[in-house]
Amino acid sequence: MEQYEPDRLSPAQVAAMRRSLRNGRAAMTRRSLLRASTGGALALGGLGALSACGIPAAGKTEGGTAADDHSAKEKTVSFSNWTEYMDVDESGKHHPTLDAFTKRTGIKVKYTEDINDNNEFFGKIKPQLAAGQDTGRDIIVLTDWLAARLIRLGWVQKLDPSNLPHAYANLSAQFRSPDWDPGRAYSYPWQGISTVIAYNKKALDGVEVKSVSDLLDNPKLKGRVGFLTEMRDSMGMTLLDMGKDPEKFTDDDYDAAIARLQKGVDSGQIRRFTGNDYTSDITSGDFAACIAWAGDVVQLKADSPDVDFVIPDSGYLTSSDNMLIPNKARHKTNAERLMDYYYEPEPAAELAAYINYVCPVDGVKDALAKIDEDAANNPLIIPDKAMQAKSHSFRSLSSKEETAYEAKFAKLTGA
């Protein structure tokens, strides 16, 4: 088990965080529409302060062991999630799937949208977890790289499979065994996030785009191509295009992919690196094609007949946001029951119909078709087996690797 030591962010990591808060997936995606101007300042200031004061190393933690569980006597569960990441009724005041869970089980859900950015939230809960204290939360939802960090630190509890029969049976194959949590002993996906190629048919004017190579090499697209400021997405898609597995690549592979993108920057082929603001570029036609997030593409396609997407033959990147139970959580069993509930087809379908991310639940298509047939037939929401087979994850990075890789990517993008 990794011993906790205070985070001392390298300049490259700080730059990466600023990119994410300013215009990355943390800034303006459907699930997180909040204000980089205030959230970013809080996140950077908060993390800087925590690093400066130096939280004492925790030594051995209780990761993988259950704290006192008060679920039987206290029929409640505290669930912290990202904004815009839960179904809401027309009044905007109620969450139908959560209400149905409470009606069935008698367990009241304290649902809080208090996660605006992974780093900011980590800074919020880190002092309590490092000190072996209860965070006041029974379920937290974190993107895979931060979920991996908490598991390594021993700050989340091992799940009881007997309380997760639907999750165990219905978890989609593409999410079953990430390298940071083999067999999903500590986490289950809330939703998947796919990275694809989006294009504007009118702006392409007959030019065919099927791969990252098309984006980088076709002179007819010069100055009309976009890549993402999120390192893992842009680099992962480029590595795949070069025949490299983003789950197994080497330093040399990474450097070669950087050089490939640098050539696109130097030649003017790449117009710019963007965060979520690519949505306006691709809709207006300023971008003929770009690397994009599938959740956005679903919405863009609904609003614009010119926007569509392609999955390269080389494959695409998938990451996930994951439910975990932090150490010292008071209601572990209640939390596991709620996690399992969202792996039943009907609640999973209601959630997928509202938020339009990749549903990690097998067997949900028929239930979703009763709500929204278009969503049920959309491979960006319910990937078929052929699409699942093209899915790849970006491997876990050590702290040393992350510092080095982010520094090289920051130089590439001019961040």
Side-chain angles (χ1 to χ4, degrees), residues 102-121:
T102 297
K103 184 176 181 180
R104 181 202 296 183
T105 64
I107 300 170
K108 294 182 179 180
V109 182
K110 179 186 176 184
Y111 184 73
T112 308
E113 295 181 337
D114 61 346
I115 306 178
N116 304 319
D117 171 76
N118 283 291
N119 282 302
E120 178 188 1
F121 187 70

Side-chain angles (χ1 to χ4, degrees), residues 2 37 45 52 95 141 149 187 230 246 249 286 298 373 398 401:
E2 180 177 301
S37 59
H95 303 291
V141 178
R149 183 189 297 179
S187 69
E230 295 290 337
F249 68 89
D286 287 343
V298 172
E373 190 168 350
S398 67
E401 285 177 323

